[in-house]
Amino acid sequence: MVKSPPQAIDLEEAVLGALMIDKKVFSSIIDIITPEIFYKNENREIFKVIQKLFNYSKPIDLYTVSNQLKKEGKINFIGGDYYLIKLTQKVISSAHIKYHANIIRQKFILRRLIEISYFIRKNSYKETTDVFDILNYAESQLFNISNNNFKRNYENAKDLIDRAISNIKKLQLNNGLSGIPSGFQTIDNITGGWQKSDLIIIAARPGMGKTSFALSMTRNLVIKYNIPTMIFSLEMSSIQLITRLISSETEISSEKFRKSILSDFEWNKIFIKIKKLKNSPLFIDDTPSLSVFDLRAKCRRMVSQHKIGIIIIDYLQLMTVSNKSINREQEISLISRNLKSIAKELNLPIIAISQLSRAVEIRGGYKRPLLSDLRESGAIEQDADIVSFIYRPDYYGFHYWDNDESTPCKGEAEFIIAKNRNGGLYNLKLNFISNYVKFTEKC
């Protein structure tokens, strides 16, 4: 016996009838109902017309809906005026429309779950199926359902303009900061904060302080702004990272932590200073050789469970892909493309630390990094929305900035924004305190 899919046609009819007798209630269900959640095709077409009338600020009633359906040549498909009259006669009041709309949505979710399950079952029997493709499909679809992220194929101009105006107003209220703040004011002024769906690359040669910069920024994110932050550390263990953060927060030399030579005063300082860090929304995953597939799955879960606002990966070249038949350049290209895809899917910024090639060391002059120095693949530059470099001339034995004796460079670093898809390029100077492995703003 074949069972009918989950549905609530009587409630679909009640909702459509309520919308035609009381236009004002449409705004209360606009975030609950979309045309695709209607099981009955006729009801779907009627809702599309009601939605169109609402978007263009036209009256919504039995006559306007009928007239629009006639204009579009769909009146006979839905059953004529008789069916519309029948819908309006089914309801006396629109008081319970939101409750009814939620039930319709639940039935739609159940139908989607059945479809996903069928896809998994059917493809799992195929010998040629890649198991990781099935897992990725299943996880992405379930993530969309759990986050009510049912993707539409299009958005009309009115919706997009309303959203754009709303974003501009928010930007004005936040003093130009439209994204996630880094905590470094000059960087935030240039970027407007790290933007949702952006892939940001922070690259440097070993020893320049890439991880230290990421941790200094993390400290700002979780303590100053209370933004849930996820770090995937492929190089250092989670204990090493948190010890660095404690050193930075307490301003006790990291060497003292390594050798465990702390005085009673310093122990007291630690217990006082780390309270905020201890209660901060920081999550660290130190899985080595993390694959892009595993990263995507973990990110979805963390966003769903902990409302993660930003993801930091340290570092990109230590990630792997499941396809071992491709060369290293293709592998890095695949990784960077997937990172951008994850940022877009989860609608949050992803910051990926990256290594630079040895070309920097070989090159003469002041060894300031260039975009061409990105290691192993030009795809990183192509996929990233922002590419930035960290440069410390004193690491190479220079005593002054660009041979200018009036500007000593000891204890200073340059943060170089070399690519900015939605803004300008800029070089700015920061303080680097090596004892506490931290970066700070220059006064």
Side-chain angles (χ1 to χ4, degrees):
M1 180 181 175
V2 179
K3 289 186 177 180
S4 298
Q7 56 192 274
I9 292 175
D10 54 337
L11 293 181
E12 290 182 11
E13 293 174 348
V15 165
L16 293 174
L19 290 172
M20 285 190 284
I21 65 169
D22 187 357
K23 173 192 172 180
K24 296 190 294 294
V25 297
F26 190 93
S27 57
S28 67
I29 55 100
I30 197 169
D31 293 327
I32 303 171
I33 288 191
T34 51
E36 62 267 24
I37 78 168
F38 285 88
Y39 178 75
K40 191 175 178 180
N41 291 332
E42 292 88 337
N43 293 341
R44 188 179 302 138
E45 293 302 324
I46 294 168
F47 184 80
K48 283 181 183 177
V49 163
I50 292 173
Q51 190 178 50
K52 187 178 290 185
L53 292 171
F54 178 84
N55 287 338
Y56 289 99
S57 302
K58 299 286 181 68
I60 299 171
D61 56 36
L62 174 64
Y63 304 105
T64 56
V65 172
S66 172
N67 188 54
Q68 186 63 33
L69 284 164
K70 287 170 184 173
K71 277 185 181 179
E72 296 181 11
K74 295 176 181 176
I75 190 69
N76 291 330
F77 173 76
I78 64 99
D81 286 331
Y82 171 77
Y83 184 64
L84 293 178
I85 294 166
K86 182 180 151 188
L87 293 179
T88 57
Q89 290 176 341
K90 278 209 164 191
V91 288
I92 301 169
S93 165
S94 60
H96 304 299
I97 188 170
K98 198 168 182 180
Y99 181 78
H100 294 160
N102 275 311
I103 294 174
I104 297 170
R105 190 171 192 83
Q106 288 167 24
K107 298 296 183 185
F108 170 68
I109 291 170
L110 289 171
R111 294 198 300 274
R112 284 291 296 124
L113 289 172
I114 291 168
E115 288 170 15
I116 295 165
S117 301
Y118 176 74
F119 175 90
I120 295 168
R121 186 173 180 273
K122 184 179 75 171
N123 285 276
S124 294
Y125 280 107
K126 294 179 180 177
E127 292 292 333
T128 56
T129 303
D130 187 329
V131 66
F132 294 108
D133 287 342
I134 297 177
L135 282 169
N136 185 51
Y137 171 83
E139 189 141 33
S140 65
Q141 295 301 313
L142 291 171
F143 177 81
N144 288 338
I145 290 172
S146 64
N147 286 275
N148 294 324
N149 186 26
F150 302 107
K151 297 177 182 176
R152 288 181 281 177
N153 294 324
Y154 65 90
E155 289 182 271
N156 61 48
K158 182 182 184 302
D159 290 344
L160 290 169
I161 290 169
D162 287 345
R163 278 170 53 198
I165 295 298
S166 176
N167 287 340
I168 293 165
K169 287 178 180 177
K170 285 178 185 175
L171 186 59
Q172 191 173 23
L173 290 171
N174 293 330
N175 298 315
L177 192 67
S178 57
I180 302 284
S182 69
F184 295 96
Q185 189 174 348
T186 312
I187 295 174
D188 291 338
N189 288 343
I190 298 159
T191 62
W194 306 128
Q195 303 299 312
K196 290 180 178 179
S197 81
D198 273 8
L199 173 61
I200 301 107
I201 300 294
I202 299 174
R205 285 294 294 154
M208 286 289 153
K210 301 183 295 296
T211 302
S212 299
F213 178 82
L215 289 177
S216 297
M217 185 171 57
T218 298
R219 184 265 169 201
N220 296 333
L221 289 165
V222 300
I223 293 179
K224 191 173 180 182
Y225 301 108
N226 200 40
I227 295 168
T229 302
M230 182 77 209
I231 298 179
F232 289 95
S233 178
L234 286 78
E235 184 176 35
M236 298 175 67
S237 72
S238 53
I239 294 296
Q240 287 174 315
L241 280 187
I242 209 72
T243 303
R244 276 197 176 198
L245 274 170
I246 293 169
S247 172
S248 173
E249 189 65 12
T250 59
E251 296 195 339
I252 297 172
S253 168
S254 56
E255 188 177 350
K256 288 192 172 186
F257 284 99
R258 281 197 303 271
K259 296 179 179 179
S260 191
I261 46 173
L262 298 162
S263 66
D264 290 341
F265 170 77
E266 286 168 333
W267 274 114
N268 288 332
K269 189 177 183 182
I270 289 170
F271 290 126
I272 292 167
K273 288 277 189 177
I274 64 169
K275 283 181 181 176
K276 287 184 179 177
L277 181 60
K278 196 173 182 180
N279 296 316
S280 67
L282 173 62
F283 305 88
I284 301 174
D285 184 316
D286 61 0
T287 305
S289 301
L290 186 67
S291 73
V292 170
F293 172 77
D294 289 335
L295 175 79
R296 188 186 289 268
K298 288 184 177 192
C299 288
R300 285 172 182 149
R301 283 194 290 271
M302 292 303 293
V303 168
S304 179
Q305 293 170 13
H306 300 287
K307 309 300 180 189
I308 296 297
I310 186 168
I311 292 165
I312 299 170
I313 299 165
D314 185 16
Y315 61 90
L316 184 150
Q317 280 83 4
L318 289 177
M319 294 190 67
T320 62
V321 294
S322 56
N323 187 351
K324 299 299 180 183
S325 63
I326 60 177
N327 63 39
R328 183 58 178 163
E329 186 173 335
Q330 291 170 327
E331 189 175 23
I332 294 296
S333 298
L334 189 59
I335 290 167
S336 68
R337 191 161 57 249
N338 272 274
L339 291 182
K340 175 58 184 176
S341 170
I342 294 167
K344 195 171 179 182
E345 177 190 336
L346 302 181
N347 195 32
L348 47 68
I350 289 182
I351 296 177
I353 309 301
S354 178
Q355 290 278 30
L356 292 178
S357 70
R358 285 194 174 89
V360 180
E361 314 289 343
I362 299 167
R363 191 165 55 239
Y366 293 99
K367 304 185 187 300
R368 195 176 262 106
L370 306 169
L371 284 170
S372 57
D373 297 323
L374 283 169
R375 188 174 173 185
E376 292 174 314
S377 177
I380 298 174
E381 177 188 346
Q382 180 183 320
D383 295 325
D385 297 279
I386 293 176
V387 177
S388 58
F389 301 120
I390 296 172
Y391 168 62
R392 292 196 297 115
D394 66 345
Y395 178 84
Y396 295 110
F398 298 116
H399 300 292
Y400 306 100
W401 284 102
D402 301 322
N403 211 25
D404 180 356
E405 293 188 9
S406 65
T407 56
C409 62
K410 186 171 177 60
E412 292 187 352
E414 194 171 48
F415 188 83
I416 303 164
I417 299 177
K419 176 190 175 182
N420 187 358
R421 186 165 280 155
N422 300 306
L425 309 182
Y426 203 82
N427 292 17
L428 61 105
K429 290 186 174 66
L430 300 170
N431 293 319
F432 176 67
I433 308 168
S434 57
N435 282 347
Y436 312 141
V437 286
K438 71 188 285 189
F439 285 81
T440 61
E441 294 258 27
K442 283 187 69 66
C443 299

